[in-house]
Amino acid sequence: MADELSSPGEAYTRYFSMVWRNLRRLGVPDSSVEDALQDVFLVVHQRWADFRGDSTVKTWIFGILLRVASRYRREAKRHGAHLELDASSARLEQADAGNAPGPDPLELASRREAARLVNGILAQFEDEHRTLFVLAELEQLSIREVAELTGVNASTCYKRLDAARRQFESAVERLRARDLWRLK
């Protein structure tokens, strides 16, 4: 299997940026992303010997990530924390910086703004719709993988994903309309 890794250290190197950006996308407040990231990879390290290969390492780590993100969201709601979108956008760029040669400043600013807008839209989603949208649309996992990770049957995943897509498109249209109004 191409996803086969020999150690938790290799998993950390390969999946660090994926975990970082998806903790944020899944509603972990910016002030907790570093702690949540550490928690995800601590579990990966502790459970590495238990990984049986029934799924890819990526989907196994995503399962851990989903549980950690859920715990941090619950904790944030209990303590009244608010999402801090602007600072996390800059950190997303730092997390992705290791994957490609440095983008030019204009591209970097565009990515940062896009991440801020997407995270702002995702913050308005119910947890189940946000999770499905992130897994299927942003991370491009198959519906079978999404169903396995979320414990929801595939046909329900399709229906909820369709609703999440419509919600996302509606939010984008509202942003476009707002921007057009500002230009007048």
Side-chain angles (χ1 to χ4, degrees):
M1 173 187 312
D3 193 34
E4 205 169 289
L5 302 171
S6 63
S7 72
E10 285 183 36
Y12 178 85
T13 300
R14 181 173 296 170
Y15 295 112
F16 173 87
S17 65
M18 180 214 49
V19 171
W20 180 276
R21 75 177 169 265
N22 284 296
L23 285 168
R24 186 62 200 95
R25 287 173 173 170
L26 291 168
V28 174
D30 186 52
S31 60
S32 300
V33 169
E34 289 179 16
D35 292 336
L37 179 84
Q38 185 175 14
D39 288 353
V40 168
F41 285 108
L42 182 63
V43 172
V44 168
H45 180 75
Q46 291 171 338
R47 306 223 183 235
W48 188 256
D50 299 335
F51 178 67
R52 297 185 318 248
D54 295 339
S55 65
T56 64
V57 172
K58 179 180 180 179
T59 56
W60 179 67
I61 290 174
F62 239 114
I64 296 166
L65 184 158
L66 290 173
R67 288 185 292 281
V68 169
S70 177
R71 189 177 79 233
Y72 274 84
R73 280 194 315 269
R74 280 193 312 271
E75 194 173 296
K77 285 179 185 173
R78 195 174 26 232
H79 293 90
H82 298 286
L83 298 178
E84 301 151 7
L85 300 172
D86 293 329
S88 71
S89 296
R91 289 187 179 169
L92 279 170
E93 287 303 323
Q94 292 170 354
D96 284 334
N99 295 337
D104 65 59
L106 184 58
E107 183 180 342
L108 188 61
S110 294
R111 283 186 193 176
R112 189 171 289 133
E113 178 63 9
R116 188 186 70 75
L117 291 172
V118 168
N119 287 339
I121 291 170
L122 292 174
Q124 299 169 24
F125 281 33
E126 293 178 26
D127 289 345
E128 66 184 18
H129 287 156
R130 176 178 36 227
T131 298
L132 288 170
F133 190 85
V134 167
L135 294 174
E137 290 297 317
L138 302 180
E139 287 300 319
Q140 298 292 299
L141 296 180
S142 71
I143 289 296
R144 183 187 59 75
E145 291 171 315
V146 172
E148 181 183 316
L149 282 169
T150 60
V152 176
N153 74 49
S155 94
T156 303
C157 281
Y158 278 115
K159 289 176 187 173
R160 290 180 183 170
L161 181 57
D162 186 52
R165 285 175 178 147
R166 285 193 312 270
Q167 183 179 356
F168 189 85
E169 289 168 4
S170 175
V172 169
E173 287 305 315
R174 284 192 306 275
L175 286 173
R176 284 185 182 143
R178 182 195 70 193
D179 289 346
L180 285 175
W181 180 81
R182 286 183 181 170
L183 291 174
K184 291 182 179 183

